[in-house]
């Protein structure tokens, strides 16, 4: 069920270009039933695409960290955390470290682009 759920939610977010409160609630419910790294990553992404206040964005970071607790070698979680650190926390060195780990685990183009941006920001 989880893969179908994740695909459906991603399609809904893509179509709307936004994550509604209902989408966030659906993710929370699914996490209670079937916690997985993929769902925690989806939650972090959805929080960033929602109307939550800036202080609530810490929940996105916490979601990515929870994904890493479940799957310490998740390239996707590391990459998401890298983008979060670069774009939301303005921490290019930390972001670069996450991107490097993600790339070492098989992450692709997005992680390499993120690493380039982080390195550019570092000068």
């Amino acid at each position: 069920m989880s893969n179908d759920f994740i695909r459906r939610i991603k399609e809904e977010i893509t179509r709307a270009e936004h994550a509604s409160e209902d989408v966030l609630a659906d993710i929370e419910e699914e996490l209670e039933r079937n916690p997985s790294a993929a769902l925690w990553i989806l939650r972090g992404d959805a929080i960033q695409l929602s109307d939550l206040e800036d202080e609530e964005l810490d929940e996105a970071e916490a979601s990515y960290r929870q994904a890493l607790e479940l799957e310490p070698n998740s390239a996707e979680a590391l990459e998401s955390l890298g983008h979060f650190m670069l774009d939301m926390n303005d921490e290019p060195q930390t972001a670069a470290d996450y991107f490097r780990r993600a790339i070492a685990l098989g992450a692709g183009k997005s992680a390499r682009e993120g690493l380039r941006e982080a390195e550019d920001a570092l000068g």
Side-chain angles (χ1 to χ4, degrees):
M1 165 71 180
S2 208
N3 287 338
D4 291 339
F5 174 83
I6 291 169
R7 186 173 36 257
R8 181 179 59 81
I9 293 295
K10 284 183 176 181
E11 287 171 1
E12 186 173 332
I13 290 171
T14 300
R15 231 183 352 266
E17 298 179 355
H18 179 264
S20 68
E21 287 183 32
D22 290 340
V23 164
L24 288 168
D26 288 347
I27 294 169
E28 295 289 339
E29 283 180 31
E30 188 66 18
L31 270 168
E32 287 181 27
R33 285 191 295 271
N34 302 304
S36 70
L39 278 172
W40 281 109
I41 293 165
L42 181 62
R43 180 182 185 261
D45 294 347
I47 288 170
Q48 290 187 74
L49 295 170
S50 71
D51 291 331
L52 295 178
E53 299 297 320
D54 284 345
E55 57 272 5
E56 293 174 292
L57 285 175
D58 290 342
E59 283 298 310
E61 180 181 353
S63 295
Y64 300 135
R65 292 190 185 283
Q66 184 63 40
L68 280 176
E69 271 190 43
L70 290 175
E71 289 183 29
N73 292 321
S74 169
E76 186 180 1
L78 289 163
E79 182 179 336
S80 293
L81 202 46
H83 284 294
F84 184 85
M85 290 301 182
L86 183 62
D87 300 333
M88 306 307 287
N89 282 5
D90 194 26
E91 295 181 28
Q93 182 60 59
T94 303
D97 294 340
Y98 284 121
F99 288 131
R100 284 187 193 100
R101 285 178 55 202
I103 291 165
L105 291 167
K109 182 180 176 184
S110 177
R112 288 191 302 276
E113 288 172 355
L115 177 58
R116 231 178 347 268
E117 287 178 36
E119 288 174 338
D120 287 348
L122 289 169

